[in-house]
Amino acid sequence: MLHGSLWDKIVWFTIPLALTGVFQQLLNAADVAVLGQFVGKNAMAAVGNNTALVGLILSLFMGLSLGANVVIAQNIGAEKFDKVRTTVHTAFLMSLITGIGMVAVSELIVSPIFYLLSVPPEVEEAAEIYLRIFLPGIPGIIVYNFEAAILRSRGDTRTPLIALIFASTMNIALNLVFVLKFDWGIEGVAVATDIANTCAAIMLFVVLLKTDGYLRLDFSEMKIDRAGLKEIISIGLPAGVQGMVFSLSNVLIQSAINSLGPNVMAGSAAAFTIEINMFCIMNAFGQAATTFVGQNYGAGNLARCKDVTRTAIKIGSIVIISLSILILYFVENLIGFYSSDPAVIETGAIRLWFFMSAEIVNVFMEVLAGSLRGYGFSTAPAVITLIFACGIRVFWVFVIFEMYPSYKVLMAVYPVTWIVTTIVLVFAYRFYMKHLKVVSL
């Protein structure tokens, strides 16, 4: 990451990272597809209803894991390997403790959240059953993401990918067994997802126990370092809060979707499983920028940091434009994989047209925000996202959608918020680059 050409290193770093995100989302996509094909569109809508809520719960910890990635990467670049070891153990313990605590909190808020979401009666029971079974698997997801962040800080995106491929394959197999053989329906897919997520976390735990060098987990060193914890939180908490508020705005949008009925809920859920994979690819370029910038900033090479941002934007733009065209060409076939219902297919296609037509903007948003975090500036992208992306979405749901309550009007909120937020991020990035100086870590 510190020497030589950048484009090839970014590509080889990003491909496994993007595929890891895709396979992680495949866990949810498999649930939606199996339920849509073998149980019914109401069960499919029930899982889609929970997607935004699960994202809200997990966003905080995803941001904190990014903080661990930045702190470890910067110290690797600065060759402070003793600090790397203490941060690794701090990050792991933090994920385990907070993951377990989050289960209890999440179970308590299910009923109030469902009330606020205005879930239709024909979907509500199935949605609550799925979510209550899914929640005990949250520690596995959180621990996996922290473990993956530890490995990625050194440039290893391959190992987390292998673990997710195994987990996704297991999830699909268990879904089919539990639904077709045992007729467990929505309960079966929830249990299968919990098992798969836990297995992925265990696999990376074993890898970190056996790895050589400064990333190795050692039971004798398993303690939380206050200084390391403070650094992780200072960088990761703003990113986590940003993700939570962003997810909260998506929960509001999901509530508006729910008001349009089960067909719209099911079609939107199907489209989401496709578009979220595009986000995983864009987010991979953002995380690549975070890690590459973090190491090079730790090494004091500002010129290379700026080259990382430019290169990631160029490569990401080419990839996203190509994939967007491909998805829109096969849009009805892709939605039809989840359901043969014409109303569901039409709704899913509408959502994908709104998303894919403006996805290129997201590349700039993800890479610029990722680069700023790599420097340690995590608060700026969080505040910008809070004010512009989330603020506009809340206004849109409560004002614009109330005046024009149609699905197309609701979906238009996404490209509008992306464009506005990206414009502001460009100005913020240029401001920080103008005043940036090398600091001693």
Coordinates of all heavy atoms in Angstrom, one line a residue, residues 58 112 319 415:
L58 N -27.3 -2.3 13.4 CA -25.9 -2.7 13.2 C -25.0 -1.5 12.8 O -23.8 -1.7 12.8 CB -25.9 -3.8 12.1 CG -26.5 -5.1 12.4 CD1 -26.5 -6.0 11.2 CD2 -25.8 -5.8 13.6
P112 N -42.2 -1.5 20.0 CA -42.4 0.0 19.8 C -42.0 0.4 18.3 O -42.7 1.2 17.7 CB -41.4 0.6 20.8 CG -41.3 -0.3 21.9 CD -41.3 -1.7 21.2
V319 N -16.6 0.9 -12.9 CA -17.2 -0.4 -12.5 C -18.7 -0.1 -12.3 O -19.6 -0.9 -12.8 CB -16.6 -0.9 -11.2 CG1 -17.4 -2.0 -10.6 CG2 -15.2 -1.3 -11.4
P415 N -31.9 9.7 -5.2 CA -31.0 10.4 -6.0 C -30.8 11.9 -5.6 O -29.7 12.4 -5.7 CB -31.5 10.3 -7.5 CG -32.9 9.8 -7.3 CD -33.0 9.1 -6.0

